[in-house]
Amino acid sequence: MAVAGCGSPSSKNGSNGGGDAKGIETQQSALDPTAKGPAAEVPGAKKGGVITVYSQVTPNTFDPTDTYYADALAIEKLIFRSPTQFAIRNGKPVLVPDLTDLGTVSSDKLTWTFKMQSGIKYADGSEVKVEDLAYAIKRSFAHDVFANGPTYQLTTFKGGDTYKGPYASDDAFAGVETPDSGTLVIHLARPFADLPLYMTFPVFTPIPQAKDTKENYKNNPLATGPYQFDTYTPGTELKLKKNPNWDPNTDAVRHQYPDGFTFKWGGEDPKTQQQVLNSAGEDANALNYGPVDASLIPQLTGDKKAQLIQGEQPCTYSVQMDTRKIPLEVRKAIAKAYPYDQVNKAGGLNSFNSQPASTVLPPSVPGYTKYDALPGLSGVGQGDPAAAKADLEAAGKVGFELSWYYDNTKPVPQQTNQIRVDAFKAAGFAVKPIGVTTAELRSKIADYDAPVNMGQAPQGWCSDWPSGGSWFPVLFQSHSLTDGTSWGELTDKALDAKIDEIGNLPADQAVAKWGELDKEILGMYVALPRYYGKLAFAIGTNIGGAEGDASAGEPFYLNMFLKN
């Protein structure tokens, strides 16, 4: 999942505007293939009312094929069902059946067979068919149209290296088969043991081919979950209402307690978080999913302590540097000059929502190895402009221009931008920050051909599942550049081969190898690790059933209700 944003966190799954990190080691073995609907009732739950959800950062799409930011993924669990899903039990994610079972794999590990539940309907009352699941998978190969979605299928599914999706290619695709009305078969080019985990993503939610409106589908996608679109103003507001054709008896995870949800984006997080904590009027029915601002921490005592929901996140937030455009000696000088402490303080980071990072993998992911921090890559310190300038002088690079995008419509990102400008100028760099609106930011930083050389997306990463296998192949192989998920924009065939070699090892052998590779890659100065995320979000006094989703480092909306 990816993360974007230099001030307030949010992520790309990996997870959007800043940072998350989760501790879900138990997920490796936590699965319940026998789980069935309806989901167990949440103690004290009541029906009715509308929950309001605030955030400063703005999801850029709700097309299920194109979604990879953690906040949008969490919201889409209300709207879309997928072949498999995570239930949250005792704070930990457990993989359970959703539209299908958890699958069985052939002896050669190259064919997975999933049996589908019958009787599932879309919000319009039409039947969900196995062919719709197959079509959604084919649609995900149209990466020229849906450039932001996850891409594991492109490198693991049979024929995925040549198939370009149903718009550019014919309907025949060797990677997917539907032998009968209740069976989905996936053929692989190489073993992919984590496929049932991957199939929790909305990229696998069914889409009828006849209802696919390509780029316009995001404006009113067909729901299979307990809620559907009511009204949507991109970048500003999404109102969800009940889906009358959702059947709780078929769903082992979701509930439909509130009458609806209203998501409001763009307001300053400290302001809306204070509203939520004050809980005046309708704000008692609200929450803010941004990491709680440091300025509000002193209030979170006594009765208000219950308004802070804490949990795990599996994310590392970073500032990446484009290795195509910035030489290694300059990247090292950037690391020396970077004002971690000042940026973090201005951005509202604190011990509740973050801890300094010095590795690629966060501590919650198997394979994490705490090695001695590399120079300038400790996630702490005020920067050393004199030492950085000396390095630039030695390299003949004084005046090297650094450029990045930032949100110029909000005080916090404006302040953190100015801190970076001052620090880099003091170190002998020329700077060219480019201000854009909140709504534009994600699409701008996702463009690797844009006229910037720092701070591109993803500005952080969260585990898609708890393994280095959902980090290194996605972020550092050559295909990551065209996939839009690259840290450093590397194209290194030797590194590609090394990552493939580790990825093909049994999981228990790969763990230590991922840790070794972590240090090797970070030593190439592809990114500045800033912090590992922690989940800490504020809720209104009338919100019940609130908890964190440790599979995504976001709120788990599916159990929420209003107390009164």
Side-chain angles (χ1 to χ4, degrees):
M1 275 177 272
V3 194
C6 292
S8 301
S10 87
S11 337
K12 195 169 177 181
N13 242 48
S15 148
N16 64 21
D20 3 353
K22 52 197 171 188
I24 50 176
E25 295 89 336
T26 55
Q27 189 186 101
Q28 289 176 295
S29 59
L31 46 93
D32 180 3
T34 65
K36 290 181 172 61
E41 293 294 332
V42 177
K46 296 181 179 180
K47 293 188 176 183
V50 174
I51 292 177
T52 299
V53 184
Y54 296 113
S55 177
Q56 180 172 312
V57 294
T58 306
N60 62 330
T61 186
F62 287 102
D63 187 303
T65 307
D66 211 26
T67 305
Y68 210 4
Y69 279 98
D71 58 347
L73 291 169
I75 294 166
E76 288 182 6
K77 290 183 181 184
L78 292 164
I79 307 164
F80 305 126
R81 297 181 64 177
S82 48
T84 60
Q85 192 50 261
F86 287 114
I88 303 300
R89 299 178 183 172
N90 299 317
K92 298 292 184 182
V94 178
L95 188 71
V96 300
D98 195 357
L99 295 178
T100 72
D101 61 9
L102 299 188
T104 55
V105 65
S106 61
S107 58
D108 65 0
K109 312 298 183 187
L110 295 178
T111 301
W112 281 86
T113 302
F114 296 87
K115 292 294 184 179
M116 187 172 173
Q117 273 203 79
S118 61
I120 310 292
K121 294 181 179 180
Y122 294 106
D124 66 0
S126 60
E127 181 186 356
V128 174
K129 298 180 178 179
V130 71
E131 290 83 6
D132 302 344
L133 284 174
Y135 179 73
I137 292 171
K138 295 174 184 177
R139 189 178 191 259
S140 74
F141 285 83
H143 205 61
D144 57 330
V145 180
F146 309 111
N148 301 302
T151 58
Y152 296 96
Q153 68 278 15
L154 274 61
T155 56
T156 58
F157 283 26
K158 185 177 181 180
D161 55 341
T162 57
Y163 183 66
K164 300 302 179 186
Y167 313 133
S169 307
D170 61 34
D171 205 39
F173 171 46
V176 180
E177 182 185 357
T178 54
D180 58 56
S181 62
T183 306
L184 177 73
V185 177
I186 294 177
H187 299 287
L188 301 176
R190 57 185 176 87
F192 184 22
D194 290 339
L195 180 61
L197 297 167
Y198 183 33
M199 290 178 75
T200 61
F201 275 73
V203 70
F204 292 99
T205 201
I207 298 175
Q209 185 169 2
K211 302 287 181 69
D212 181 13
T213 53
K214 294 182 70 174
E215 294 92 339
N216 292 325
Y217 192 73
K218 64 186 177 185
N219 295 319
N220 192 16
L222 207 50
T224 46
Y227 296 91
Q228 62 178 316
F229 275 35
D230 184 3
T231 62
Y232 178 40
T233 305
T236 302
E237 182 181 80
L238 170 65
K239 290 186 176 181
L240 300 180
K241 62 183 180 181
K242 284 185 176 182
N243 169 8
N245 285 299
W246 171 76
D247 182 359
N249 294 311
T250 67
D251 198 323
V253 180
R254 298 167 185 82
H255 296 284
Q256 197 184 50
Y257 294 134
D259 293 331
F261 287 80
T262 297
F263 294 86
K264 294 176 179 279
W265 300 292
E268 297 167 30
D269 277 336
K271 179 181 177 181
T272 57
Q273 287 170 358
Q274 184 66 70
Q275 290 176 213
V276 168
L277 291 176
N278 291 344
S279 288
E282 290 299 311
D283 281 328
N285 303 335
L287 64 97
N288 175 295
Y289 66 73
V292 67
D293 192 77
S295 65
L296 304 179
I297 297 299
Q299 300 180 36
L300 296 170
T301 59
D303 291 342
K304 283 196 184 297
K305 188 174 183 181
Q307 291 183 251
L308 179 68
I309 305 299
Q310 295 179 268
E312 299 174 324
Q313 286 186 336
C315 314
T316 301
Y317 288 82
S318 66
V319 178
Q320 64 155 298
M321 299 176 285
D322 194 329
T323 61
R324 302 170 303 174
K325 301 176 181 178
I326 308 177
L328 177 60
E329 63 270 23
V330 177
R331 302 198 300 271
K332 289 184 174 181
I334 292 170
K336 283 187 179 178
Y338 198 81
Y340 293 99
D341 292 353
Q342 301 94 306
V343 169
N344 291 349
K345 182 178 179 180
L349 298 186
N350 55 75
S351 61
F352 283 78
N353 61 30
S354 65
Q355 70 181 86
S358 58
T359 59
V360 175
L361 290 178
S364 60
V365 175
Y368 165 77
T369 303
K370 185 175 174 56
Y371 48 82
D372 290 340
L374 297 164
L377 302 181
S378 65
V380 297
Q382 298 187 3
D384 189 340
K389 191 168 188 176
D391 286 353
L392 289 181
E393 289 171 346
K397 297 291 186 181
V398 172
F400 189 95
E401 184 178 86
L402 304 179
S403 53
W404 61 85
Y405 289 112
Y406 74 100
D407 183 342
N408 66 357
T409 68
K410 302 289 187 300
V412 170
Q414 288 172 343
Q415 185 178 358
T416 56
N417 176 70
Q418 192 59 49
I419 291 169
R420 292 193 298 273
V421 166
D422 293 344
F424 289 141
K425 281 185 174 179
F429 292 99
V431 296
K432 186 184 177 183
I434 303 173
V436 298
T437 65
T438 306
E440 292 178 295
L441 184 62
R442 283 192 187 177
S443 59
K444 290 290 188 182
I445 64 176
D447 181 4
Y448 292 163
D449 295 324
V452 296
N453 57 17
M454 284 185 67
Q456 291 121 310
Q459 295 182 348
W461 197 256
C462 308
S463 283
D464 290 326
W465 52 83
S467 161
S470 74
W471 287 73
F472 296 97
V474 194
L475 298 175
F476 302 115
Q477 287 194 309
S478 296
H479 64 80
S480 307
L481 190 58
T482 52
D483 293 347
T485 58
S486 178
W487 275 12
E489 290 69 53
L490 296 170
T491 50
D492 185 327
K493 292 189 181 301
L495 180 61
D496 293 346
K498 185 174 291 187
I499 291 172
D500 282 339
E501 182 181 344
I502 298 173
N504 289 330
L505 292 173
D508 57 339
Q509 297 177 31
V511 168
K513 296 291 186 181
W514 290 131
E516 295 170 8
L517 188 63
D518 190 307
K519 185 175 183 179
E520 179 181 333
I521 291 176
L522 208 54
M524 298 164 68
Y525 285 77
V526 298
L528 311 173
R530 291 184 55 213
Y531 60 95
Y532 311 121
K534 296 179 182 179
L535 185 65
F537 65 95
I539 64 169
T541 53
N542 198 37
I543 299 277
E547 63 181 323
D549 180 351
S551 74
E554 294 285 329
F556 189 69
Y557 299 107
L558 307 183
N559 289 340
M560 290 184 186
F561 61 91
L562 294 178
K563 299 175 186 176
N564 300 300

